[in-house]
Amino acid sequence: RAFLYRLWKGTVSSKMLNPRLQKAMRYYMSFNKHGVRFRGRRKARRTRPELLCELRKRVHVRTLDGKEPPFSALGWRPLVPGVPLSQLHPHGLRSCAVVMSAGAILNSSLGEEIDSHDAVLRFNSAPTRGYEKDVGNKTTVRIINSQILANPSHHFIDSSLYKDVILVAWDPAPYSANLNLWYKKPDYNLFTPYIQHRRRHPTQPFYILHPKFIWQLWDIIQENTREKIQPNPPSSGFIGILIMMSMCREVHVYEYIPSVRQTELCHYHELYYDAACTLGAYHPLLYEKLLVQRLNMGTQADLHHKGKVVLPGFQALRC
Ligand code: C5P
């Protein structure tokens, strides 16, 4: 509980995590699987308005457009959607919800509030059916990692979870964002199922995030954190929050910063317990959350009881 209070206040450090999580973090730090070489400087003193304007200036949602090698030579140009993700809603959506898959959302009764937003973002295989009261049933965008595409157990091809929504997929690439290296050796092969799906459903908006976008987000987290963060991509949750901040005038994020319902239950839809899901081991999740906590313009009551953070969209900022 003391940890939760400090997370709400933004005064936690990785030293306060349990020894197992600290050990996992140290392992990822030394392994540096993606060859991260941070060239920026760590300056954690920006104010909320400074941080928001910095984000607006630097965060440009980018997806594969098929114009760069190796994708250009592979004939991807006509295969990717004609309208870029950033232009799907050129005038911006008014109010958007980002619904984290955390176990803490169970018994929240947030469903109605979530569905009242103009657009709702969900992650991976998180269902709504059977959980409507707590998570709502509207889904506008779904962010999926490459495992969902590559692993047959997720039934990407035929599950209704992935139909009638905007799909945004991603996979950890080398920090160098060398697309040739990435194409040869993705974490999970998302390229083949992506192409198949584009051919079968050419009208469904379906994008793959550009590795430069993902690592740009990582750089921003590190620049604004005093401690050294894990050299691995940000979580889907953080990626989703920033995509919605560029598409909506206001973004309501649910159960990213845990509410009083905080639990080690990893996902609301799965009986699996692991504190790493909420606090991070592979992903620099704790630091992402501290950054998002600093940006919150919602009330403390909403944070504690709904696990809700309210963020301005980039278009709503005066920089
Ligand atoms: O586990 P999964 O990546 O599908 O969950 C989607 C996102 O929700 C995560 O990337 C993370 O940002 C967030 N999450 C969380 N706490 C949990 C589970 C998920 O903050 N217990």
Side-chain angles (χ1 to χ4, degrees):
R1 257 310 158 84
F3 187 87
L4 184 58
Y5 284 108
R6 299 193 71 153
L7 186 52
W8 289 341
K9 282 201 295 182
T11 59
V12 293
S13 120
S14 61
K15 307 273 180 311
M16 298 166 193
L17 293 172
N18 77 43
R20 183 180 67 88
L21 291 188
Q22 288 194 44
K23 195 172 164 201
M25 279 181 70
R26 281 197 302 273
Y27 163 80
Y28 287 117
M29 296 283 189
S30 56
F31 189 33
N32 193 9
K33 180 177 181 192
H34 309 289
V36 171
R37 275 188 59 205
F38 180 58
R39 291 186 188 80
R41 284 178 49 190
R42 303 207 298 268
K43 40 176 186 283
R45 298 226 54 92
R46 284 193 178 104
T47 62
R48 198 173 74 93
E50 283 169 354
L51 255 175
L52 285 166
C53 288
E54 178 73 10
L55 288 171
R56 180 169 98 158
K57 190 169 85 195
R58 291 181 49 199
V59 174
H60 303 285
V61 178
R62 188 168 165 197
T63 58
L64 295 185
D65 59 9
K67 290 181 192 161
E68 293 168 283
F71 303 103
S72 44
L74 292 162
W76 275 47
R77 184 73 259 279
L79 261 164
V80 304
V83 182
L85 176 57
S86 55
Q87 253 126 73
L88 275 185
H89 297 279
H91 305 296
L93 294 153
R94 195 174 46 81
S95 142
C96 298
V98 178
V99 184
M100 297 302 165
S101 312
I105 207 160
L106 282 179
N107 299 314
S108 66
S109 298
L110 284 165
E112 209 173 311
E113 173 174 330
I114 288 169
D115 283 344
S116 74
H117 292 278
D118 302 320
V120 178
L121 171 67
R122 301 184 195 273
F123 297 94
N124 294 318
S125 59
T128 53
R129 216 167 126 200
Y131 300 93
E132 293 87 349
K133 190 167 171 289
D134 295 328
V135 307
N137 67 18
K138 182 192 279 191
T139 307
T140 318
V141 189
R142 198 173 272 278
I143 297 196
I144 53 180
N145 57 43
S146 47
Q147 295 173 54
I148 298 279
L149 288 150
N151 189 334
S153 72
H154 288 291
H155 300 279
F156 174 67
I157 301 180
D158 45 23
S159 166
S160 61
L161 288 174
Y162 312 108
K163 297 207 169 88
D164 304 315
V165 296
I166 300 166
L167 287 175
V168 180
W170 73 281
D171 177 78
Y175 183 75
S176 63
N178 180 321
L179 301 183
N180 284 300
L181 284 179
W182 181 42
Y183 184 75
K184 277 193 213 128
K185 212 169 169 293
D187 222 19
Y188 289 85
N189 180 3
L190 74 169
F191 302 116
T192 314
Y194 176 75
I195 290 299
Q196 276 170 1
H197 192 281
R198 288 297 305 151
R199 292 215 170 97
R200 267 186 221 151
H201 309 280
T203 56
Q204 180 176 15
F206 184 8
Y207 304 89
I208 294 180
L209 290 174
H210 198 291
K212 282 210 169 122
F213 170 66
I214 294 178
W215 287 114
Q216 168 108 71
L217 297 183
W218 185 90
D219 284 341
I220 293 172
I221 301 166
Q222 179 61 91
E223 278 168 31
N224 289 287
T225 304
R226 233 180 283 274
E227 296 177 22
K228 273 199 171 163
I229 73 171
Q230 295 94 316
N232 297 322
S235 73
S236 301
F238 189 80
I239 295 170
I241 292 169
L242 278 119
I243 290 178
M244 289 319 241
M245 284 175 83
S246 30
M247 296 189 16
C248 314
R249 296 193 69 81
E250 195 167 282
V251 181
H252 295 230
V253 183
Y254 296 92
E255 288 294 357
Y256 187 54
I257 313 285
S259 68
V260 289
R261 291 178 299 275
Q262 184 193 31
T263 164
E264 292 203 352
L265 181 65
C266 181
H267 294 130
Y268 63 83
H269 51 92
E270 211 173 36
L271 256 183
Y272 169 69
Y273 292 84
D274 186 352
C277 297
T278 306
L279 301 174
Y282 172 80
H283 296 293
L285 192 57
L286 180 62
Y287 304 109
E288 300 171 13
K289 293 188 181 195
L290 285 168
L291 191 59
V292 168
Q293 185 275 343
R294 283 164 66 191
L295 302 176
N296 185 18
M297 58 174 204
T299 66
Q300 288 301 302
D302 275 355
L303 181 61
H304 300 174
H305 300 294
K306 298 180 178 172
K308 176 163 98 164
V309 163
V310 182
L311 307 169
F314 295 147
Q315 301 151 43
L317 295 173
R318 294 174 179 276
C319 293

